[in-house]
Amino acid sequence: QLALSPGETATVTITVTNLGRIVDTVQLEIYGLPAGWTSVSPATVTLQPGEVGQTTLAVNPPAAAVAGATTFFVRARSWVEAAEITEAALTLAIRAQVRFSLKLEPPQASGERQAAYELRVANEGNAPLALALAGKDDARSCSYVFQPAVLTVAPQSEGKARVVVQAAGPLPGNQPQPVFFTLAVTPEGQPALAQQIAGQFMRLPAPPATMDLRPRAFTDSRQGVYALRVNNPGAVEVTFALSASDPDNACLYMFDPALIHAPAGQGVDVRLTVRARELNAANAAREVQFTIAANPVGGGPALAPLTGKFVQPANPNLVLSLNPPQMSAVGPAQFALTVQNPKPVPVTVALQ
């Protein structure tokens, strides 16, 4: 048995004995290996009866030879007796050579919560590779998903794996943040031959969510009903807690619902009821300017506050009427005084 690396050469001495009774010439041939891998020198040996001769077999697998074991044969054929053929079997084992190179496309990518890459592995060796893939970053802020998880690449071929780098949580603050990561590619059973390649994931802040209020102002003596829409243009679902207030604490604010789950890239509609704590008894309209706040649950930047207005209309003055409007009399005169209260609240009137 011969064990060779691609490109190496080994020689084997072949001994031939003439067991016949006459002079014979023996032709030596090799079969079972590709052409050009072997040579025999000399290819013929002439022997006297009982004489022993030798020839040399050289085996030289090329640099591109694929790893594995192959059985081949040395055949000796008599020139005198064509039917007289003798064969000897040998095994050639081509040693595996593990060589591969890595390329990451693109080397840098950006995204709000994740980014996708393509890992290319060129198998420059002579044996199939089964490669385990893994990723890491110093802060352990991301997870790494490979498809496939184990990459198999044939000799002198290229294999590709999709890599998704995903952040574990929302980005704190509103500034881009780079994550420098390393991908490790390890041949199965040969950890000492592992290779690494570096990449960068530029985490981008989520686009700010927005709120819209319809109508922006509502007029009523007691309460107003508004339609609030919260839009989430980001790549992940966000939960918001809704609240509202005014400087004088003049109104109550009821959201339906008060806790919303805004899916990625979608909006959520909310009913807002604003109710005055007391009726407006003044002669002038009362305007209540209120502010709506939406705070993310679990962290993240709050939305820009949104303002709205609730207007309680002015109440008209009391209406006095006298019946009759005038009277003539020698003695006391009696009139009927009527006080009309158009206001929404009771009024105590002092007459004089």
Side-chain angles (χ1 to χ4, degrees):
Q1 177 172 328
L2 302 175
L4 297 175
S5 297
E8 287 186 339
T9 300
T11 58
V12 178
T13 299
I14 300 174
T15 301
V16 182
T17 303
N18 184 0
L19 300 178
R21 296 180 180 181
I22 60 175
V23 178
D24 198 353
T25 298
V26 178
Q27 176 75 44
L28 297 171
E29 303 170 344
I30 308 297
Y31 70 95
L33 289 177
W37 284 34
T38 60
S39 62
V40 180
S41 181
T44 59
V45 180
T46 300
L47 301 172
Q48 297 293 326
E51 184 180 1
V52 177
Q54 291 184 333
T55 187
T56 300
L57 166 66
V59 181
N60 177 223
V66 177
T70 303
T71 299
F72 67 101
F73 300 88
V74 178
R75 176 180 292 173
R77 184 191 300 271
S78 169
W79 281 13
V80 174
E81 297 288 341
E84 189 71 25
I85 298 175
T86 300
E87 291 183 344
L90 294 90
T91 300
L92 172 62
I94 305 295
R95 298 187 183 98
Q97 293 184 326
V98 178
R99 292 195 303 269
F100 61 95
S101 59
L102 307 178
K103 187 175 184 180
L104 187 63
E105 288 291 341
Q108 175 181 331
S110 59
E112 181 186 335
R113 289 292 292 270
Q114 67 179 34
Y117 305 79
E118 185 177 73
L119 176 62
R120 300 178 182 177
V121 182
N123 183 356
E124 300 159 351
N126 66 337
L129 289 177
L131 304 167
L133 310 177
K136 65 177 182 179
D137 58 90
D138 291 341
R140 298 183 179 179
S141 61
C142 295
S143 61
Y144 301 83
V145 179
F146 297 88
Q147 182 61 39
V150 176
L151 181 63
T152 301
V153 187
Q156 302 299 312
S157 300
E158 183 181 73
K160 300 177 182 179
R162 185 172 187 266
V163 186
V164 176
V165 181
Q166 185 166 10
L171 178 66
N174 56 1
Q175 295 298 319
Q177 182 183 85
V179 176
F180 299 96
F181 62 87
T182 301
L183 303 182
V185 180
T186 306
E188 190 175 54
Q190 302 181 77
L193 300 180
Q195 293 190 35
Q196 295 183 342
I197 189 168
Q200 180 178 332
F201 169 36
M202 180 62 74
R203 296 188 59 190
L204 302 177
T210 59
M211 292 186 290
D212 185 42
L213 187 66
R214 292 288 183 272
R216 296 301 293 269
F218 196 100
T219 300
D220 189 80
S221 61
R222 173 59 75 177
Q223 70 177 28
V225 178
Y226 303 78
L228 175 67
R229 184 170 180 82
V230 181
N231 299 298
N232 176 22
V236 295
E237 180 178 281
V238 182
T239 300
F240 293 100
L242 303 175
S243 62
S245 62
D246 62 82
D248 298 323
N249 197 27
C251 295
L252 298 173
Y253 302 92
M254 292 157 284
F255 294 90
D256 184 19
L259 189 70
I260 61 170
H261 305 282
Q266 298 184 35
V268 178
D269 293 315
V270 179
R271 176 187 172 96
L272 169 61
T273 301
V274 178
R275 180 173 299 168
R277 293 183 182 272
E278 59 182 28
L279 295 171
N280 180 22
N283 295 331
R286 179 167 64 180
E287 295 184 356
V288 178
Q289 188 100 0
F290 59 87
T291 301
I292 301 172
N295 295 301
V297 177
L303 277 67
L306 180 67
T307 59
K309 185 185 292 185
F310 175 57
V311 180
Q312 289 180 284
N315 283 312
N317 293 326
L318 298 175
V319 178
L320 303 180
S321 60
L322 192 63
N323 187 31
Q326 64 181 22
M327 178 182 294
S328 299
V330 177
Q334 289 188 343
F335 297 83
L337 176 64
T338 302
V339 181
Q340 293 181 330
N341 177 18
K343 298 178 183 292
V345 293
V347 177
T348 300
V349 180
L351 302 176
Q352 60 182 20

